[in-house]
Amino acid sequence: MPASTSASRPSLLGVFGHPDDESLLAGGVLALRAAAGAATAVVTATWAPDSHRAGELADALDILGAGRPRMLGFADARIPDSAPGRARLCDAPLEEVAGLIVEHIRAVRPQVVVTHDAYGQLTGHPDHRRTHQATLLAFHAAGLEHLYPQAGAPWQPDALYAATHPHSGVDELGALLTRVGKKVLSVPDGHVTETVDVSGCVDQKLAAILAHRSEAARERSLPGILSRLPAAERESIIAAENFALLGRRPAPGGAVLQPSR
């Protein structure tokens, strides 16, 4: 991810589908940046702000130093009563979802945005895919004053990354997911542009994952699977986070279409 010229790391906004995605996919990066003095925040697309999972999310974000929950409040594709009276995220108009994310980007003013990959992570959850699509649109729209003018003053982040999983790094986790009947959708290793060693804050990351208590209590959920593993095996799975660069702010004097003479 972009290096900072100051003592702190670049500010970071995570945009994820569900409570717990932030801890599983980028908990280490969030914790590292917060410890270095950077501003960090997380937008969560599903579940109502007054649901039990909102309280768990608040606890996880507190552990990671990522501020208060910022919940869009759409319903989970597989749990309609997660947000009574609201559309499922996967059914909501893409422009509407993107506009809400633009509002948070302009409010937080991050240098870096992180979201899901195009597969929707390993298991291809439809909420993850929708969040990826909406965040990609929002990243480009946030800096343009005539798009979503009601969402605040324009702000263009420097870079957009997708949390992802390379083929070479999913052996242990893939076997665990396959065992409970879930898909494993990883990407070619060449798609990964940065791997971050988060072993130094692995206990903090695990505590944030387990703060999602209702998920940790479930047998087939990833927090539940991780909670039952031996410590060494669990650490080997969560001690690195992989990212693919999706977009970058155009640099002044950068590449041009017209060939030089």
Side-chain angles (χ1 to χ4, degrees), residues 179-192:
R179 198 177 303 159
V180 295
K182 295 191 176 185
K183 294 183 289 187
V184 179
L185 303 175
S186 55
V187 302
D189 287 20
H191 285 217
V192 174

Side-chain angles (χ1 to χ4, degrees), residues 23-218:
S23 300
L24 290 164
L25 300 173
V29 166
L30 285 164
L32 289 172
R33 296 212 171 190
T40 58
V42 170
V43 172
T44 306
T46 65
W47 286 80
D50 61 352
S51 64
H52 71 279
R53 293 200 65 184
E56 295 172 354
L57 175 62
D59 291 342
L61 295 183
D62 185 59
I63 292 168
L64 297 174
R68 61 177 177 82
R70 297 170 174 270
M71 305 183 76
L72 304 187
F74 291 102
D76 186 311
R78 295 168 182 166
I79 311 174
D81 64 0
S82 57
R86 291 293 305 276
R88 298 190 311 164
L89 175 64
C90 59
D91 296 330
L94 183 60
E95 286 269 344
E96 177 187 349
V97 182
L100 294 172
I101 297 171
V102 166
E103 185 173 344
H104 286 283
I105 290 175
R106 290 176 178 173
V108 175
R109 299 170 74 84
Q111 292 163 282
V112 178
V113 177
V114 174
T115 190
H116 299 280
D117 66 13
Y119 279 144
Q121 307 315 137
L122 288 170
T123 59
H125 197 294
D127 290 337
H128 294 176
R129 293 198 303 269
R130 194 61 160 178
T131 302
H132 165 87
Q133 294 161 358
T135 305
L136 187 60
L137 177 58
F139 172 80
H140 294 290
L144 299 174
E145 61 183 317
H146 296 301
L147 292 178
Y148 306 105
Q150 76 286 358
W155 174 261
Q156 182 59 61
D158 292 334
L160 173 65
Y161 284 87
T164 195
H165 305 273
H167 292 332
S168 64
V170 297
D171 290 347
E172 292 175 280
L173 183 55
L176 293 169
L177 292 172
T178 301
R179 198 177 303 159
V180 295
K182 295 191 176 185
K183 294 183 289 187
V184 179
L185 303 175
S186 55
V187 302
D189 287 20
H191 285 217
V192 174
T193 53
E194 186 159 356
T195 297
V196 181
D197 179 358
V198 300
S199 57
C201 61
V202 72
D203 290 340
Q204 189 178 359
K205 177 178 177 177
L206 177 62
I209 292 171
L210 298 183
H212 294 281
R213 295 171 290 278
S214 59
E215 287 298 287
R218 294 178 55 228

